[in-house]
Amino acid sequence: MTQNTAALSAQSVNDVLQTVPDPGTGKDFVSTRRIRGMTIEQGTVRFEVEPGYPARSRHESIRNLLADAVRTLPGVKRVEIEISDRIAARAVKNGVKLLPGVKNVIAVASGKGGVGKSTTAVNLALALAAEGAVVGMLDADIYGPSLPQMLCTGARSPESSDGETMEPVEAHGLQVMSVGLLIDDDTPMVWRGPLATRALTQLMTETRWRDLDYLVVDLPPGTGDIQLTLAQSAPLTGAVIVTTPQDIALIDARKGLKMFEKVNVPILGVVENMSIHICSGCGREEHIFGAGGGQKICDDYGVPFLGALPLDIKIREEADSGVPTVASDPGSRIAEIYRDIALKTAVALAGIPRDMSHKFPNIVVKNE
């Protein structure tokens, strides 16, 4: 064994890897325990990286960063790195059980309607799936379900194999459930709050979700019965707030943010929709609804700013056609913004401690 090879060890490899920050989190891969299964054999270094968030578009850059660092060590002849798509379940508040078949639940909310929350939620889900995650979508707007239209589910209705649970409908690689799949398009939901809340609970718990990394829940606007019940009793991992820069929207967005804070649901970040309008004729940029409002909320409450989306007719047209932007035009600048928002959301969620409830044994006390 040469002197150079003798100096090559797992410790020396870890030491150099510790100098490489993850582009997503800014933290190194060693102290966050995301390097696994390292072996060193005849100058070949092999290990697996588990980012903890879906990032297929960044796999090659992460692999190159780590490999270049390892190659600086004497004795290294070859570096082989596998990057895992595994996503761990994150902890939810005490007393709430995880949904069967679902690791993490992300609520997408807004304080008021008309800010593009549903469009943002759908493209967020599609972007997470494009990055390698298994994703589902739940339409929690009982009175105004929009997912069947936005995801072009057509006349398909959920099937049931056991008469007790429903199978989600597949659309663009997502597992989808909505009350809109169970009723006609022109049938109004004239239900009082308790009945609507019970219906939402059934949709969430009686759907046979299949090994989801993320369930994205498109909440109705406001902070009423449905939103509060979901925030209090559902296993929400975190929430994303959608707003526009308009002062009126920002006031209500703050109320939605405070609601989640009061029930101990982490805020993953804020998305500013309709941030800027670019004239299709002259190219002039205008802040029609104001500027900087989303960032101001983040600064005031200490939460991440996930990104800003333009006011663009294509976003509306593609959602109305049933093929949202991330699915219809994945190479576009707007789809790139959605993917960046999705990555930031997933990174923020990955910072929440893992769910360890399955590690604890069930203790049963019996009187003999």
Side-chain angles (χ1 to χ4, degrees):
M1 183 178 292
T2 66
Q3 184 176 357
N4 283 347
T5 303
L8 186 60
S9 66
Q11 183 59 55
S12 64
V13 174
N14 279 326
D15 287 344
V16 74
L17 290 177
Q18 202 160 6
T19 67
V20 182
D22 178 350
T25 66
K27 300 176 181 179
D28 72 272
F29 294 88
V30 177
S31 63
T32 52
R33 299 181 180 180
R34 287 181 286 154
I35 303 295
R36 304 179 185 278
M38 183 181 296
T39 62
I40 301 173
E41 185 178 358
Q42 296 180 346
T44 297
V45 179
R46 298 184 182 90
F47 56 87
E48 182 185 62
V49 180
E50 186 178 311
Y53 58 90
R56 283 188 179 172
S57 63
R58 297 185 179 182
H59 279 190
E60 194 61 29
S61 62
I62 291 173
R63 186 180 288 110
N64 290 338
L65 282 172
L66 296 173
D68 289 345
V70 175
R71 289 191 189 101
T72 63
L73 292 172
V76 173
K77 298 177 182 178
R78 184 180 178 85
V79 182
E80 298 178 2
I81 303 173
E82 293 291 330
I83 300 184
S84 169
D85 287 327
R86 284 191 297 270
I87 305 298
R90 300 292 160 176
V92 296
K93 58 186 178 181
N94 292 336
V96 180
K97 294 183 179 180
L98 298 182
L99 290 174
V102 180
K103 294 178 184 176
N104 302 286
V105 181
I106 301 173
V108 180
S110 66
K112 66 185 278 77
V115 300
K117 168 187 55 59
S118 294
T119 305
T120 301
V122 167
N123 280 291
L124 169 64
L126 289 168
L128 288 170
E131 290 291 344
V134 182
V135 185
M137 276 220 70
L138 175 65
D139 192 345
D141 195 343
I142 300 297
Y143 299 111
S146 56
L147 289 194
Q149 170 69 35
M150 297 179 73
L151 289 171
C152 199
T153 56
R156 286 177 290 171
S157 298
E159 296 180 355
S160 176
S161 58
D162 57 10
E164 296 181 358
T165 57
M166 297 176 291
E167 299 291 334
V169 171
E170 295 280 345
H172 302 301
L174 304 178
Q175 299 176 35
V176 182
M177 181 53 66
S178 168
V179 72
L181 297 170
L182 305 172
I183 60 173
D184 295 331
D185 291 342
D186 56 355
T187 301
M189 301 302 293
V190 286
W191 291 348
R192 295 190 183 276
L195 191 58
T197 300
R198 195 176 311 127
L200 174 60
T201 301
Q202 287 180 302
L203 287 177
M204 176 176 283
T205 60
E206 296 179 12
T207 299
R208 290 172 59 88
W209 305 108
R210 299 185 299 276
D211 300 321
L212 296 182
D213 295 316
Y214 304 102
L215 174 62
V216 178
V217 181
D218 179 23
L219 286 177
T223 54
D225 286 347
I226 291 177
Q227 297 89 334
L228 187 59
T229 298
L230 192 74
Q232 289 178 324
S233 60
L236 297 184
T237 316
V240 172
I241 306 297
V242 180
T243 185
T244 66
Q246 191 176 12
D247 288 343
I248 295 175
L250 293 169
I251 291 171
D252 291 331
R254 290 173 184 269
K255 294 176 181 177
L257 190 150
K258 292 298 290 183
M259 179 194 74
F260 286 111
E261 282 191 344
K262 286 184 177 181
V263 293
N264 298 317
V265 174
I267 304 298
L268 302 176
V270 173
V271 175
E272 184 179 273
N273 200 22
M274 308 180 198
S275 177
I276 190 171
H277 174 257
I278 302 175
C279 177
S280 59
C282 66
R284 180 181 177 183
E285 297 183 358
E286 293 181 303
H287 293 276
I288 295 176
F289 297 113
Q295 184 64 62
K296 179 68 163 57
I297 290 180
C298 295
D299 293 341
D300 289 346
Y301 291 97
V303 299
F305 182 66
L306 299 175
L309 289 154
L311 179 62
D312 192 298
I313 191 172
K314 284 187 177 181
I315 297 177
R316 193 273 303 166
E317 289 175 341
E318 288 160 349
D320 283 351
S321 72
V323 190
T325 303
V326 173
S328 64
D329 195 4
S332 67
R333 172 58 184 153
I334 295 174
E336 182 183 350
I337 296 172
Y338 278 122
R339 287 196 302 271
D340 187 60
I341 289 171
L343 281 168
K344 289 178 180 177
T345 301
V347 166
L349 188 146
I352 298 171
R354 293 192 180 206
D355 173 65
M356 303 302 290
S357 59
H358 62 287
K359 297 285 186 179
F360 300 115
N362 292 324
I363 300 175
V364 179
V365 179
K366 293 183 177 180
N367 293 323
E368 295 294 342

